[in-house]
Amino acid sequence: MTTTLKSRLQGDLTAAIKTRDELRSSTLRLTLTAIQKEEVAGEAARELSDAEVEKIIAREAKKRREAADAFAQGGRAEQAERERAEGEVLAEYLPKQLTDEELDALVAEAVREAAAGGAQGPRAMGAVMKIVNPKVAGRAEGGRVAAAVKRRLAEG
């Protein structure tokens, strides 16, 4: 039984090949390859859950963002643009990302919750992250969440 997210990727790949959408088909092909590698990585081949497939897509999207930044800094605008476009294709398969305001609101709530439990100041970081991470669940990158928590704790 194929996961729904993986079968959606496969269906979209087939459609992209038919419409000769090179960007979309190569991006989806690379992502499906990453998923297949993960499926056979353990001792026994297995199907990945949608959550696991989503993590791989998020990892691939992050690689594209980092590559785009590197190419842009290296003055290679064309490659940077290509990486950004591939990242946008992948973003369609991920939960909508939180805005800074939404993230700050979740962090503020988690800080209040942690403080109620006795965790305060910079040492509360772990407690706050434990509370906020499940609420964010794939809708913001870990580094972004941690930065928001640090900011909020510094404000005290």
Side-chain angles (χ1 to χ4, degrees):
M1 197 210 100
T2 311
T3 60
T4 48
L5 190 52
K6 183 179 169 189
S7 50
R8 183 176 150 210
L9 288 166
Q10 289 166 327
D12 290 354
L13 171 60
T14 305
I17 292 169
K18 284 181 183 160
T19 60
R20 293 196 166 83
D21 183 339
E22 191 275 329
L23 173 81
R24 182 172 285 275
S25 61
S26 77
T27 303
L28 295 179
R29 194 174 281 126
L30 285 168
T31 304
L32 282 162
T33 301
I35 291 166
Q36 285 155 350
K37 269 189 192 145
E38 192 78 25
E39 286 177 331
V40 297
E43 290 183 15
R46 65 188 184 88
E47 278 291 331
L48 299 180
S49 69
D50 274 353
E52 290 170 309
V53 169
E54 200 175 277
K55 276 198 179 105
I56 294 170
I57 296 170
R59 190 174 64 215
E60 291 295 312
K62 184 178 180 188
K63 280 185 201 168
R64 301 305 188 289
R65 269 195 306 280
E66 290 169 351
D69 291 346
F71 280 134
Q73 287 168 0
R76 296 169 67 186
E78 210 170 289
Q79 286 96 333
E81 195 45 52
R82 166 81 189 202
E83 294 290 338
R84 261 189 226 93
E86 289 182 7
E88 284 167 22
V89 168
L90 294 174
E92 295 171 25
Y93 300 92
L94 294 169
K96 190 174 176 332
Q97 294 296 292
L98 293 168
T99 63
D100 289 341
E101 293 75 27
E102 291 168 328
L103 179 59
D104 286 342
L106 285 174
V107 167
E109 190 183 309
V111 168
R112 278 193 299 277
E113 228 173 286
Q120 288 180 329
R123 288 190 303 280
M125 182 86 187
V128 174
M129 290 298 287
K130 214 173 276 169
I131 295 168
V132 84
N133 274 334
K135 294 177 182 174
V136 169
R139 296 181 299 151
E141 237 169 63
R144 200 176 142 217
V145 176
V149 170
K150 277 188 191 133
R151 263 197 320 273
R152 178 61 68 158
L153 289 174
E155 290 165 8

